[in-house]
Amino acid sequence: MNTGDNAWVLASSALVLLMTPGLAMFYGGMTRSKNVLTTMMHSFFLMGLASLIWMLWGFSFAFAPDVFLGLTGGLHYLGLVAVGRDLWGGTTIPTSTYVIFQCGFAVLTPALISGAFAERMRFGAFIAFMAVWVTLVYCPICHWVWAQDGWLAKLGALDFAGGTVVHINAGMTALACVLLVGERKGYGEQAMLPHNLPITLLGAGLLWIGWFGFNAGSALKADQSASMAFLVTHLAAAAASVSWLASEWMLRGRPTTLGFASGAVAGLVSITPAAGYVNPVSAVLIGLVAGSLCYFAVLAKGFLAYDDSLDVVGIHAVGGAWGALATGLFATKAIGGVDGLLMGNAAQFFTQVVAVVATAAYSFLATGAILLVLDTLMHVRAHEDEERRGMDVSMHGESAYNL
């Protein structure tokens, strides 16, 4: 064991876990005041539910030796009883450190999805959906990409910190959710404005800082790779925040604080798969494209008539897909040991396309199947009266603001 590497990954684990409370604030400020507690509760509750699933069977399904065609792991780590003082394969950190580091990803990914159906899913249905989704969607895709014997890993797909596993997965799941759950009552007829943008900005700041653990921690060492991942993560977020704001300013005549926060997150999403493979110039280009691309993707939901409450599809599905493809474009052997299309390796770009399509298709179809089954067993969608009164009162009997 290398104590410096272990210390860095443990610190990164704390940063990744901090991102979920940050996301709760980011999402909570964007909802109406009558739904803020429920929206934040989604993220906080997953810190409990997803962590327990990860301990009991999730880590095993994701990272145990493959048992079926590179699609899923077995039961070797069931209950983590096989985790002791051993090192995680090929690294200088204990397996227990890797388990808690990856636990942060397993918590954050389903929390990202919750922004799509905010203000209209019953809490009991939310619990059931997330328990099944983490097991049947997140863990298999995690195995495909990050387990050594996963089929996309063996194909050579590059995903340094979660462009496919986290962002495309969450974004395409969000799309299935909004199409099947339906739009909020009054959507398109009444204003549904953010009730507290200062909270959203503070949440965005926590996400920005936490993302350094997300990306730089994925090096699993305190070395040059971690340093470069840290640097390019910051540069991509900076570039995307400026790009989104510029696009918004030119189109609508004024820049907004929500636009800045959304642009920063779009940049962080897009650099995630590429963080260990690209140089700073490429990171800035990735961020500049991501800011404008995700801004117009968010605007498109008005034309496509779907109610993605907090823009999960436009930022995470689109930004994640762009980042995964950009990895295949800009990767350079000098940084990550692999060249991309612009360095003459067209095969790598094709592999990235396969990873994007496979992840998007499985996430969307599997989520649709899960929701259809659950909807036959329980009421997934809140009743009209519950939605009208607000999810905070109807689901939890509480109110965020007693003025």
Side-chain angles (χ1 to χ4, degrees):
M1 185 182 74
N2 183 295
T3 55
D5 293 343
N6 192 44
W8 167 239
V9 180
L10 284 173
S12 296
S13 301
L15 288 171
V16 175
L17 287 168
L18 178 66
M19 292 172 71
T20 299
L23 182 72
M25 299 179 73
F26 182 72
Y27 279 172
M30 287 196 283
T31 60
R32 290 170 289 179
S33 58
K34 64 181 181 179
N35 298 312
V36 58
L37 289 178
T38 304
T39 300
M40 297 181 75
M41 180 65 162
H42 287 163
S43 293
F44 278 105
F45 186 78
L46 282 166
M47 294 189 75
L49 178 65
S51 296
L52 291 176
I53 291 173
W54 194 245
M55 174 264 179
L56 291 171
W57 63 80
F59 182 78
S60 192
F61 288 172
F63 289 105
D66 185 73
V67 295
F68 185 69
L69 303 176
L71 297 176
T72 185
L75 304 179
H76 179 71
Y77 291 112
L78 200 65
L80 300 183
V81 293
V83 174
R85 296 171 58 87
D86 58 310
L87 299 183
W88 181 245
T91 73
T92 56
I93 63 173
T95 298
S96 54
T97 298
Y98 190 69
V99 171
I100 190 59
F101 179 66
Q102 284 291 338
C103 182
F105 289 71
V107 169
L108 180 69
T109 306
L112 292 172
I113 300 163
S114 66
F117 51 72
E119 304 188 303
R120 58 195 187 278
M121 184 180 282
R122 304 188 80 244
F123 192 66
F126 166 80
I127 295 173
F129 170 68
M130 286 304 182
V132 177
W133 186 88
V134 171
T135 303
L136 299 183
V137 181
Y138 179 79
C139 291
I141 291 179
C142 189
H143 183 80
W144 296 0
V145 178
W146 285 337
Q148 291 182 348
D149 47 8
W151 76 274
L152 284 175
K154 290 192 290 187
L155 192 65
L158 302 179
D159 188 352
F160 194 72
T164 52
V165 178
V166 176
H167 298 295
I168 297 175
N169 194 6
M172 293 305 296
T173 294
L175 180 60
C177 287
V178 298
L179 295 178
L180 291 175
V181 175
E183 63 187 28
R184 291 167 288 180
K185 298 297 180 183
Y187 178 71
E189 300 172 0
Q190 63 188 63
M192 297 182 177
L193 301 176
H195 88 283
N196 196 325
L197 283 175
I199 291 181
T200 293
L201 283 172
L202 183 56
L206 290 173
L207 285 171
W208 195 326
I209 300 303
W211 225 290
F212 296 129
F214 204 74
N215 286 2
S218 292
L220 303 182
K221 290 184 178 182
D223 63 359
Q224 299 95 324
S225 178
S227 297
M228 183 59 74
F230 199 119
L231 174 61
V232 299
T233 296
H234 183 66
L235 291 175
S241 63
V242 171
S243 176
W244 183 301
L245 214 62
S247 299
E248 183 180 51
W249 203 340
M250 287 187 291
L251 191 65
R252 296 195 165 177
R254 63 185 66 183
T256 66
T257 54
L258 179 58
F260 177 85
S262 299
V265 173
L268 293 164
V269 168
S270 66
I271 197 60
T272 293
Y277 305 107
V278 301
N279 61 37
V281 173
S282 296
V284 170
L285 293 174
I286 290 171
L288 289 173
V289 172
S292 294
L293 180 65
C294 292
Y295 172 66
F296 287 107
V298 167
L299 289 184
K301 71 178 184 180
F303 300 102
L304 299 176
Y306 66 87
D307 182 13
D308 177 10
S309 303
L310 307 180
D311 303 326
V312 183
V313 178
I315 293 177
H316 294 278
V318 174
W322 160 240
L325 296 175
T327 305
L329 285 174
F330 296 110
T332 173
K333 191 176 294 185
I335 301 296
V338 181
D339 282 333
L341 178 62
L342 296 182
M343 299 298 291
N345 184 9
Q348 186 60 56
F349 182 77
F350 175 75
T351 299
Q352 298 302 109
V353 172
V354 172
V356 168
V357 173
T359 302
Y362 181 74
S363 299
F364 183 82
L365 295 174
T367 299
I370 293 168
L371 281 174
L372 289 172
V373 171
L374 285 179
D375 205 38
T376 64
L377 301 175
M378 62 178 70
H379 293 293
V380 171
R381 175 68 184 263
H383 297 301
E384 184 173 350
D385 180 62
E386 292 173 329
E387 194 173 333
R388 180 185 57 78
R389 288 188 294 135
M391 305 299 286
D392 292 356
V393 171
S394 60
M395 294 295 113
H396 305 293
E398 298 173 299
S399 178
Y401 307 106
N402 294 305
L403 303 177

